[in-house]
Amino acid sequence: MNKLFTLTLLIVLIIAAVPAAASDYVQAPRPTAFRGITWGTPLSEIPGLAPVQEPGFKDTYFKRDEPMTYGKAEITSVAYYFHADKLYRVGIAFKGRVNQFFLKDMLMQRYGAGRGIGFRYGWMWPDFSIELNYNNDNDTGSLYYTFEGSPQ
């Protein structure tokens, strides 16, 4: 009888945990592209990209004519990251709390409240994540869109 009770309790706890894990995901649809470039697009199909020439930035590119705004925020750079010749990540750098506020507000309006720990804030889907970071010491931040699924 004791084994049956323990087994039943274990099954109930597992079933209760599944909806909690699923609720960590954003309910709004994830972004399918960044500035018109679909996740998983081959590098050869994206015109205007130039490789970053600094050490440690293999498979990282930028656009010389990149708009230096994103929503209402002023940004300092945009980097396009490739894995196996396909776009999987975009990183945006910015300065100032005002720009961090503009980015966070824009993302919250599109995807909901998200989750925050300190100056890190994020949204998750089963195959995608958005992470907004801010460094109070040097007044800079970053926003990363990361695609972890298979190309569409």
Side-chain angles (χ1 to χ4, degrees), residues 46-149:
I46 305 172
L49 291 182
V52 172
Q53 297 295 320
E54 297 178 31
F57 287 93
K58 183 179 183 227
D59 300 323
T60 305
Y61 294 78
F62 70 99
K63 287 184 176 184
R64 292 188 196 329
D65 61 347
E66 188 80 51
M68 288 295 115
T69 58
Y70 193 59
K72 294 180 182 178
E74 293 179 15
I75 59 177
T76 56
S77 68
V78 177
Y80 296 84
Y81 301 89
F82 290 81
H83 176 69
D85 194 44
K86 299 196 184 315
L87 180 66
Y88 83 99
R89 187 177 219 196
V90 171
I92 299 171
F94 62 91
K95 284 185 150 298
R97 296 282 270 151
V98 170
N99 291 311
Q100 187 240 9
F101 171 81
F102 284 145
L103 292 168
K104 185 175 179 182
D105 184 59
M106 175 185 73
L107 294 166
M108 289 177 79
Q109 286 183 31
R110 287 183 189 168
Y111 307 115
R115 301 184 94 183
I117 299 173
F119 287 108
R120 293 182 65 198
Y121 212 82
W123 296 261
M124 291 180 4
W125 291 261
D127 63 349
F128 198 87
S129 65
I130 298 174
E131 182 180 339
L132 179 64
N133 297 297
Y134 188 75
N135 184 325
N136 227 11
D137 294 336
N138 61 12
D139 199 31
T140 61
S142 59
L143 170 60
Y144 288 100
Y145 290 85
T146 306
F147 176 62
E148 301 163 358

Side-chain angles (χ1 to χ4, degrees), residues 6-61:
T6 304
L7 182 60
T8 304
L9 181 61
L10 181 62
I11 291 171
V12 168
L13 289 174
I14 290 171
I15 291 171
V18 171
S23 70
D24 287 343
Y25 294 126
V26 175
Q27 299 305 308
R30 68 165 175 80
T32 58
F34 179 80
R35 291 189 168 170
I37 305 170
T38 303
W39 305 110
T41 299
L43 174 61
S44 61
E45 294 179 16
I46 305 172
L49 291 182
V52 172
Q53 297 295 320
E54 297 178 31
F57 287 93
K58 183 179 183 227
D59 300 323
T60 305
Y61 294 78

